């Protein structure tokens, strides 16, 4: 079979490219390699400028999801430029204000929690609602979550509960859209990656290297592996998946009792 994914010739909107390391960029590139047309939505004029050479020749829209009404403006601009209907949407956006450094979870400032929730979770609801009239009947919406909502990393802090809200919102959207469409909503639950978002997490490098030891293969994820899962979810090949999370973590979530890590923790001198 030559075109297994069958995304060729279809139009997808990808939100969240910041640079060449972004999950969104890996997904967009993979879509383009499969012959899809990709529309880009970036956060600001300055970001658009910094991406000028990377996104040369592609349609680039602006949407700062922190601003009320921004998703409606984006949807109107996409439709006015004649790009509808969209076969899929990628929401790969998150923000947390870690500028004051590490704080225990119970010390989370209200304004930081609400800002991060608006940008990182509620924006999926606003984006879906705004784009609803411009989606193909069987479109696919994919957002990027985390590989486990049960773990409680100190340095990830309040983003854990916000990612839980994102994942739950995706499921509720799958349900609410089902009343008059077959639009699907799914999450890629990604393990630790090397991107600008993760670089902002206090003490991330050590967590990242530790996570690598926990993978069954002793090698951390490649962002391409996360993008490949997203591509599958965007394609009709995943038509039976709706309201789910596809975990991409190279096994780390199941490997708490790895014998080498137990030895290092219990007998570091050996
Ligand atoms: P990234 O920094 O490349 O992407 C984050 C994007 O969010 C950026 O493009 C940024 O401009 C955008 N953004 C932030 N505030 C915005 C706003 N107000 N309006 C519009 N866009 C805004 O980092 P990434 O790792 O590619 O992050 C993409 C997604 O992947 C995020 O949801 C992140 O939580 C998730 N994720 C990342 C990892 C990791 O280890 N990097 C692991 C699991 C999940």
């Amino acid at each position: 079979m030559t075109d297994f994914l069958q995304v060729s010739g279809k139009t997808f909107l990808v939100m969240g490219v910041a640079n060449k390391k972004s999950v969104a960029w890996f997904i967009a590139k993979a879509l383009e390699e499969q012959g899809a047309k990709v529309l880009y939505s970036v956060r600001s004029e300055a970001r658009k400028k910094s991406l000028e050479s990377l996104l040369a020749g592609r349609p680039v829209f602006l949407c700062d999801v922190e601003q009320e009404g921004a998703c409606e403006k984006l949807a109107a601009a996409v439709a006015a430029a004649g790009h509808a209907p969209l076969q899929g949407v990628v929401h790969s956006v998150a923000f947390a204000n870690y500028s004051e450094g590490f704080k225990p979870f119970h010390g989370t400032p209200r304004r930081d929690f609400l800002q991060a929730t608006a940008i990182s979770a509620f924006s999926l609801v606003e984006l879906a609602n705004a784009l609803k009239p411009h989606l193909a009947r069987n479109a696919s919406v994919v957002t990027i979550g985390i590989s486990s909502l049960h773990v409680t990393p100190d340095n990830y802090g309040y983003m854990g509960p916000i990612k839980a809200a994102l994942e739950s919102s995706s499921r509720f959207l799958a349900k609410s859209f089902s009343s008059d469409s077959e639009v699907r909503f799914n999450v890629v639950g990604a393990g630790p990656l090397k991107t600008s978002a993760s670089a902002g997490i206090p003490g991330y490098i050590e967590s990242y290297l530790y996570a690598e030891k926990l993978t069954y293969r002793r090698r951390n994820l490649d962002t391409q592996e996360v993008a490949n899962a997203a591509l599958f979810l965007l394609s009709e090949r995943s038509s039976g998946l709706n309201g789910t999370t596809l975990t991409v973590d190279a096994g780390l979530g199941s490997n708490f009792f790895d014998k080498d890590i137990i030895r290092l923790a219990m007998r570091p001198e050996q």
Side-chain angles (χ1 to χ4, degrees):
M1 193 172 298
T2 50
D3 183 15
F4 178 73
L5 291 173
Q6 296 181 5
V7 295
S8 176
K10 295 178 178 158
T11 305
F12 294 81
L13 174 70
V14 174
M15 174 180 268
V17 176
N19 51 53
K20 269 199 231 173
K21 291 186 177 167
S22 296
V23 173
W25 172 242
F26 278 80
I27 299 171
K29 220 170 20 130
L31 280 167
E32 287 178 353
E33 278 162 17
Q34 294 299 314
K37 175 171 150 195
V38 179
L39 318 175
Y40 292 82
S41 172
V42 303
R43 177 187 188 165
S44 62
E45 195 61 61
R47 178 57 47 75
K48 188 175 172 183
K49 189 117 191 75
S50 73
L51 290 168
E52 236 164 39
S53 62
L54 192 66
L55 301 185
R58 280 108 160 172
V60 183
F61 296 86
L62 293 182
C63 181
D64 176 350
V65 295
E66 196 176 358
Q67 307 303 321
E68 209 163 339
C71 290
E72 280 78 15
K73 282 188 194 146
L74 169 66
V78 165
H83 295 302
L86 301 177
Q87 190 58 43
V89 178
V90 176
H91 171 278
S92 184
V93 164
F95 176 82
N97 180 11
Y98 292 121
S99 62
E100 290 175 26
F102 171 73
K103 277 194 195 325
F105 176 65
H106 52 265
T108 303
R110 166 193 270 250
R111 67 174 182 284
D112 289 352
F113 190 85
L114 296 183
Q115 181 191 30
T117 303
I119 295 174
S120 315
F122 190 63
S123 60
L124 178 68
V125 182
E126 291 184 306
L127 186 66
N129 188 44
L131 289 173
K132 193 169 189 298
H134 312 300
L135 296 177
R137 186 175 163 75
N138 64 347
S140 170
V141 181
V142 172
T143 187
I144 313 299
I146 53 175
S147 57
S148 170
L149 294 171
H150 295 287
V151 295
T152 51
D154 300 282
N155 55 352
Y156 199 54
Y158 62 87
M159 276 306 278
I162 293 171
K163 283 295 194 188
L166 174 71
E167 190 165 321
S168 177
S169 298
S170 172
R171 219 168 0 262
F172 271 79
L173 287 165
K175 170 69 181 175
S176 64
F177 269 57
S178 70
S179 64
D180 60 356
S181 79
E182 291 191 12
V183 175
R184 298 180 295 116
F185 289 81
N186 290 293
V187 181
V188 178
L193 302 167
K194 271 198 240 167
T195 67
S196 53
S198 52
I201 299 170
Y204 182 74
I205 290 298
E206 214 161 42
S207 305
Y208 177 81
L209 295 173
Y210 170 64
E212 183 153 60
K213 291 190 193 305
L214 280 176
T215 60
Y216 289 148
R217 67 190 190 186
R218 302 282 196 273
R219 178 165 43 84
N220 252 331
L221 287 173
D222 196 308
T223 308
Q224 189 63 55
E225 294 174 303
V226 172
N228 292 344
L231 213 64
F232 167 65
L233 289 175
L234 288 168
S235 81
E236 267 296 282
R237 292 297 175 184
S238 60
S239 56
L241 275 66
N242 197 5
T244 63
T245 296
L246 201 52
T247 301
V248 182
D249 74 349
L252 75 89
S254 311
N255 201 18
F256 302 111
F257 294 112
D258 180 88
K259 65 179 183 336
D260 293 333
I261 293 174
I262 293 175
R263 182 183 49 74
L264 276 170
M266 303 307 293
R267 285 167 282 124
E269 67 286 356
Q270 283 183 16

